[in-house]
Amino acid sequence: MEQIKKILEMVKQGRLSADDSFKLISALHPRMKLGAEEWERYVGLLRNEALGTVEVETILMGRLGGPAPEPPFPPRPPRIDATIESAIESALSGIRKGFSSNPTRTATTLKVEFESSNGANLRTNVPLALAEHALKLIPKEALNMIQQQGIDPQMIPDLLKNNPPVGRLMEFEDENGSELRLTIE
């Protein structure tokens, strides 16, 4: 809805406080049944720039049961070298992929890659079908790093349930050199 998008953009720009935006959202969309603390988490995502207004709007539209907003730009066609690599991989594996009649891919997995400063590597794949259990399936070190960035990890299941776009979701590097990447595939 255009109203939600405008409110989120005003919050992101700092033109509207969290309290005022909560009152507006609650008045315009009472079916959403948001609590003030929960709204603060959404506002935190916007302020920390972990997610853009489109992603937060997608989550909120999921709460209303409405259609997700259209992405701001159409997807780019695949690079020719990626298409060639895909064709070779398909031929070698015996599975034809990459040339379907539906060019948009549906996300199925959250890929978590965590590399600590001491050299430890943690990698895990979380099926989006298990979104409600994501916090139990993501390594604690990765959740701690997300929290250190000022993002409430409790928002991850909501995001995963609402058909997130394919691609890089979040990427962080802390002062110690630890790195975290969350990718939707």
Side-chain angles (χ1 to χ4, degrees):
M1 296 235 188
E2 196 63 31
Q3 299 161 332
I4 291 176
K5 185 176 183 178
K6 286 181 183 179
I7 291 170
L8 293 173
E9 287 173 358
M10 290 175 69
V11 169
K12 188 167 184 85
Q13 295 167 357
R15 296 182 8 209
L16 192 60
S17 71
D19 188 46
D20 290 339
S21 62
F22 172 70
K23 291 174 186 173
L24 280 171
I25 290 285
S26 297
L28 290 171
H29 301 287
R31 282 187 7 226
M32 202 174 294
K33 297 180 183 169
L34 278 172
E37 285 183 23
E38 189 176 10
W39 180 249
E40 281 291 332
R41 292 193 304 228
Y42 288 109
V43 170
L45 289 173
L46 285 172
R47 287 189 179 144
N48 289 321
E49 298 183 7
L51 298 176
T53 54
V54 173
E55 289 85 0
V56 175
E57 180 185 10
T58 301
I59 295 169
L60 292 172
M61 291 305 294
R63 289 185 67 112
L64 282 173
E70 291 295 318
F73 302 104
R76 289 184 170 169
R79 295 184 344 256
I80 188 69
D81 59 340
T83 305
I84 293 170
E85 286 175 9
S86 176
I88 292 170
E89 183 179 310
S90 295
L92 293 175
S93 67
I95 300 172
R96 186 167 173 12
K97 62 182 178 182
F99 298 100
S100 66
S101 61
N102 184 1
T104 58
R105 287 187 9 203
T106 302
T108 60
T109 307
L110 170 66
K111 182 178 181 181
V112 180
E113 298 173 279
F114 179 76
E115 298 174 19
S116 70
S117 56
N118 64 8
N121 289 327
L122 298 170
R123 299 190 194 294
T124 186
N125 292 327
V126 178
L128 296 185
L130 298 175
E132 62 221 27
H133 304 291
L135 296 179
K136 297 174 190 169
L137 301 171
I138 296 174
K140 290 191 186 319
E141 294 86 353
L143 293 174
N144 289 338
M145 191 168 186
I146 291 170
Q147 184 121 27
Q148 289 171 359
Q149 298 298 319
I151 299 169
D152 185 357
Q154 299 296 322
M155 300 304 292
I156 293 174
D158 284 342
L159 175 66
L160 298 178
K161 289 178 193 174
N162 288 296
N163 195 19
V166 173
R168 185 71 37 96
L169 184 61
M170 295 181 206
E171 184 171 12
F172 304 113
E173 183 174 347
D174 68 9
E175 64 278 352
N176 299 326
S178 295
E179 296 179 23
L180 172 66
R181 284 177 295 285
L182 300 178
T183 308
I184 303 295
E185 294 182 337

